[in-house]
Amino acid sequence: MITKESIRQVALNAGADLCGFGDLNRFEGAPKDMDPRYVFPDAKSIICLAFRIPRGVQRGIEEGTQFYQYPSLAYGGINETFAPAVLYEVGKYIEDHGYEAVIYRNTGARGKVSDMTGEEGNTLSPEEQIIHHERTKNKTAHHRTVQFTRPVSEDKAAPDLQFHFRLAAVACGLGEIGWSKMLLTPEFGPMQRVAFIFTDAPLEPDPMYNGEPLCKKCMACVRECPGGCISKEESIKINVGGKTIEWGKLDEWRCYIYYTYPGKKHDPFIPTEVFEEHKDGKLRIYEYPEVKATENEVLNVYSVLDQYFPSWTGYNMAKCGGCIGACVNMLEKTGCLKGRFKEPFRTGKQRWKIDR
Ligand code: SF4
Ligand code: SF4
């Protein structure tokens, strides 16, 4: 007989690191365009699988010596290879027992509304930057949203529906959202990526996470963000499954720029003279903090800097390491990651910075 525990065991045996079960009613109040219940209206359960990011994948960024492994393995590898293979195995197991399994891998941004702004429109996806640059040569831009999409009938949401992965993981009882807006779990802190299964199998949901608060509100993520993208004062609060979830207000467009191109002091791949040459033009965002980050500023920055560190993995080459490294460091000292490793992630007081 299929049970929650037998599914969990199949998922863990297939390579997931965590597996949680959620009640779909916990999405009550989600905006229609991001409500996962529209994907499979007869679903009775949502299952979240989490895949750990090995701490060592960030080592090169932490040392300032190797930047390829994190975006290629921890983004591309998990999203494109490891997680889909496990989803496939668990999906087969569920369907072998007579229930349907809608396996849902990380989709990137292809929804009616932008995952950057929550608005309809034609914004760009990180992994589509290269395609965008190629196509704009022929005047056909590539977009973050599918802006001409429409519901196939009045009672449905427009395709392709995307939901908020981190909140869905919280709804499956795996953890909390930290001040940095990252998903934190007791097992891995901020170091995991997630994928989902919707099924009509009736499965008892796991309780919402109810242990020690995982986020220590230490604000290390705020301090170590090279772009100042996370607010220290302003927060966003929402309700998931009766629990209030709060995180620091994040400037997503600014993060979009800085996590790939973190500026003069944190990006060893860009010659100093390039920053100088464009400081009043396309790279003005690095020079003048009052410049508002917009999609247009992203394009400005990418059009100048992309040639110095192009995306070889199909994903933007995340280089900042700021909020995740800061959080791992703090949680190893004061939180859920304490004592997990024989040696601490960070031994020096501060991360490196280029003196220029
Ligand atoms: S760095 Fe501190 S404040 Fe930020 S998410 Fe981690 S524990 Fe929370
Ligand atoms: S990913 Fe980097 S740029 Fe974005 S908020 Fe975190 S530290 Fe800042």
Side-chain angles (χ1 to χ4, degrees):
M1 194 180 86
I2 194 170
T3 64
K4 172 166 106 167
E5 289 317 319
S6 71
I7 294 172
R8 193 166 356 237
Q9 211 44 57
V10 169
L12 298 181
N13 289 346
D17 289 293
L18 302 172
C19 175
F21 294 78
D23 179 344
L24 284 152
N25 292 326
R26 291 176 184 164
F27 293 97
E28 197 57 50
K32 188 174 181 184
D33 290 324
M34 296 185 78
D35 187 336
R37 292 174 293 184
Y38 284 99
V39 176
F40 181 10
D42 290 332
K44 296 198 173 67
S45 311
I46 174 171
I47 306 169
C48 176
L49 307 181
F51 300 84
R52 79 173 82 176
I53 296 172
R55 192 184 79 168
V57 168
Q58 293 172 72
R59 176 54 55 198
I61 297 179
E62 179 66 14
E63 305 295 333
T65 52
Q66 225 292 346
F67 292 74
Y68 185 81
Q69 305 308 325
Y70 181 68
S72 62
L73 285 171
Y75 269 88
I78 295 177
N79 283 356
E80 306 295 334
T81 308
F82 314 136
V86 177
L87 282 174
Y88 185 69
E89 288 303 321
V90 182
K92 280 195 301 183
Y93 175 75
I94 292 171
E95 297 207 344
D96 280 347
H97 289 80
Y99 295 104
E100 189 167 297
V102 176
I103 52 180
Y104 198 108
R105 48 151 289 169
N106 191 307
T107 48
R110 280 169 200 86
K112 184 176 185 227
V113 294
S114 165
D115 61 341
M116 301 293 292
T117 58
E119 287 165 13
E120 296 183 26
N122 55 351
T123 59
L124 290 160
S125 104
E127 73 272 34
E128 290 167 346
Q129 284 288 347
I130 290 179
I131 300 169
H132 166 79
H133 285 303
E134 285 305 309
R135 294 198 182 175
T136 41
K137 287 176 192 158
N138 306 320
K139 303 258 184 299
T140 315
H142 210 92
H143 302 300
R144 193 171 188 89
T145 51
V146 280
Q147 72 267 35
F148 301 114
T149 181
R150 72 206 62 198
V152 298
S153 65
E154 265 182 21
D155 57 335
K156 294 183 190 290
D160 259 0
L161 189 141
Q162 302 202 57
F163 57 96
H164 199 302
F165 268 36
R166 298 170 199 190
L167 294 180
V170 169
C172 291
L174 289 193
E176 281 180 350
I177 302 295
W179 189 262
S180 59
K181 206 182 172 183
M182 288 185 289
L183 168 69
L184 304 182
T185 63
E187 293 82 1
F188 307 115
M191 295 181 289
Q192 61 261 302
R193 301 188 72 73
V194 291
F196 294 88
I197 300 174
F198 299 95
T199 179
D200 51 358
L203 304 164
E204 181 69 20
D206 289 337
M208 299 280 285
Y209 175 76
N210 200 18
E212 274 279 293
L214 298 170
C215 176
K216 297 295 172 193
K217 302 280 193 294
C218 62
M219 301 296 147
C221 49
V222 174
R223 288 191 298 277
E224 293 197 27
C225 173
C229 306
I230 310 169
S231 170
K232 193 175 166 195
E233 290 85 24
E234 265 188 276
S235 69
I236 306 288
K237 277 190 195 167
I238 62 152
N239 184 291
V240 177
K243 196 173 163 177
T244 302
I245 313 281
E246 182 182 17
W247 62 84
K249 193 170 183 327
L250 174 70
D251 183 336
E252 281 90 356
W253 285 116
R254 211 171 166 81
C255 169
Y256 193 158
I257 291 172
Y258 274 85
Y259 90 98
T260 309
Y261 294 112
K264 237 191 238 181
K265 295 190 183 299
H266 300 274
D267 192 333
F269 300 99
I270 315 291
T272 307
E273 55 272 24
V274 174
F275 287 108
E276 292 302 318
E277 191 187 330
H278 297 275
K279 73 177 185 189
D280 291 318
K282 291 192 166 174
L283 301 187
R284 62 193 179 149
I285 194 147
Y286 296 112
E287 199 64 25
Y288 306 105
E290 65 277 15
V291 173
K292 189 172 158 36
T294 58
E295 186 187 4
N296 217 31
E297 289 302 326
V298 173
L299 288 179
N300 282 341
V301 170
Y302 275 68
S303 68
V304 177
L305 299 187
D306 223 16
Q307 59 180 304
Y308 297 98
F309 202 82
S311 168
W312 294 294
T313 64
Y315 281 75
N316 272 12
M317 298 301 285
K319 296 202 285 302
C320 77
C323 49
I324 190 166
C327 194
V328 170
N329 179 42
M330 291 308 289
L331 293 183
E332 285 189 350
K333 287 186 176 131
T334 60
C336 59
L337 297 178
K338 209 168 174 180
R340 293 292 164 94
F341 287 87
K342 294 195 187 322
E343 298 295 334
F345 178 62
R346 188 174 293 172
T347 42
K349 244 185 150 182
Q350 270 193 330
R351 256 182 98 211
W352 56 272
K353 215 183 223 187
I354 306 169
D355 185 16
R356 64 174 176 183

